Each structure stands twice: as structure tokens, then as C-alpha cells.
Amino acid sequence: MAHDHSHHDHPHDHDASCAHAHARAAALPEALATAQAACAERGVRLTPIRRTVLEALLESHAPLGAYEILDALNAKDADDKPGESKSGRGLAPIAIYRALDFLIEQGFVHKLESRNAFTACPHAHAPHDLVAFLICDACGGVDEVSPAPLAQAVTRMLAQEGFAPRRQVLEITGTCAHCHG
């Protein structure tokens, strides 16, 4: 069972000393390398903008909306060269959305429909595997699990119904062990 221990604090309550934030940061280089290798193997390109969006999501231990990603990238761009961005202008929202579409299609990012936000996926599962997100109402944290028995049960149910899924994402809201315990 894949389990993402990179528990997220509420987006407006980041704690850099959080063990989950450290785990997420430690996974970043390997997750980027895995994405790069997967793209090469699949014959697709992890362009600079796609890589930058993925990196922004990997750096955050909270799910981000598209405009939050845009703001973070434009702020980072301005920090790199004060007074001017690398491109000479801010990134356009359409560039972020196109990058997110690619990253979702490749299985590197998931969209949390209930939050209209995106979270990086450091796991090496197939792009269309069943993924369950445990979303904490108290802290905004998101844990990702892919339990084989659940996936098998859903696959059987879909086959019985003759339904061909395009995407399989299950969102479960409640209180995480950190907040509950």
C-alpha cells in the first residue's frame, strides 16, 4: 500500500518544522528524477514549465489551486531576479493549466475536485490507478493511499457495470490521526 506521509497543514498555517513538510522536501529530488525518467521512457517531454509546476507542488505540503501555483511561480521568478522575471513577464494562467493537464495525464499530479486544488504524487503508480485521498477537515492535510484490495473491489464493480473509467479518484474527508489523536 502506497502511503504519502507528507501530511499537509492548512495552506495558511505552514510550519517549516513539521515532520511531514520535511518528508515532502526529502522526497522532492527523487520524485523529480522519477518524473523525468518516466517522461523519457514514455516519449513525452517534461518541459521547463511542466517541471516548474511539478516542483512547486512537490515543495508544498498543502494542495494548491492553479492561481496559487501561478502566484508562487511568479513570486519565485521575481525573487530569482529582483525587479524582473526570467521571462521578462509573469506566467499566464493558461500555461499553468496546460502544465497541470499534462502532469495529471502522466500521473504526477492529482486534482482534488472537492478543493479545486492540486497535489503532487511522489508515488510510482500508473496514471489511471485508483487513488484514495484522506483529506483532514481540521488541518487541510492530505494523505494518499492506494490499497490493492480497494482497487480490486472497484475494478470488479466497474467490470460488472461495464464501465470504463477515465480517472479513479476517491476523496474521503474527516479528521487525520495527527489532529484526532
Side-chain angles (χ1 to χ4, degrees):
M1 167 169 67
H3 187 79
D4 180 356
H5 292 284
S6 56
H7 174 57
H8 314 285
D9 287 339
H10 189 274
H12 303 293
D13 188 24
H14 295 295
D15 180 1
S17 65
C18 172
H20 301 292
H22 287 297
R24 185 72 151 200
L28 190 145
E30 185 178 341
L32 282 175
T34 299
Q36 187 70 51
C39 284
E41 184 179 308
R42 297 171 189 167
V44 295
R45 288 189 60 228
L46 189 62
T47 62
I49 184 66
R50 293 169 177 172
R51 182 183 172 89
T52 302
V53 169
L54 178 58
E55 190 171 356
L57 287 168
L58 286 165
E59 287 175 347
S60 173
H61 67 289
L64 299 174
Y67 280 88
E68 290 173 306
I69 296 167
L70 179 65
D71 291 344
L73 296 183
N74 283 334
K76 187 175 185 178
D77 203 22
D79 287 345
D80 289 341
K81 290 192 179 181
E84 92 178 67
S85 70
K86 289 179 205 165
S87 60
R89 61 177 172 73
L91 291 167
I94 190 69
I96 302 301
Y97 282 110
R98 285 181 182 149
L100 286 167
D101 286 345
F102 171 85
L103 295 168
I104 290 168
E105 180 182 306
Q106 297 302 315
F108 305 141
V109 167
H110 297 292
K111 182 175 184 183
L112 301 176
E113 297 290 345
S114 66
R115 303 290 194 262
N116 195 26
F118 305 86
T119 186
C121 176
H123 308 295
H125 58 74
H128 301 291
D129 283 353
L130 174 69
V131 177
F133 291 100
L134 310 178
I135 305 168
C136 182
D137 293 325
C139 68
V142 178
D143 288 315
E144 176 182 333
V145 294
S146 297
L150 177 61
Q152 292 163 355
V154 170
T155 298
R156 279 192 304 275
M157 178 201 65
L158 294 173
Q160 289 171 351
E161 295 296 322
F163 189 82
R166 178 176 43 86
R167 196 165 44 111
Q168 298 185 79
V169 176
L170 175 61
E171 296 183 32
I172 303 170
T173 58
T175 308
C176 71
H178 179 74
C179 292
H180 183 69

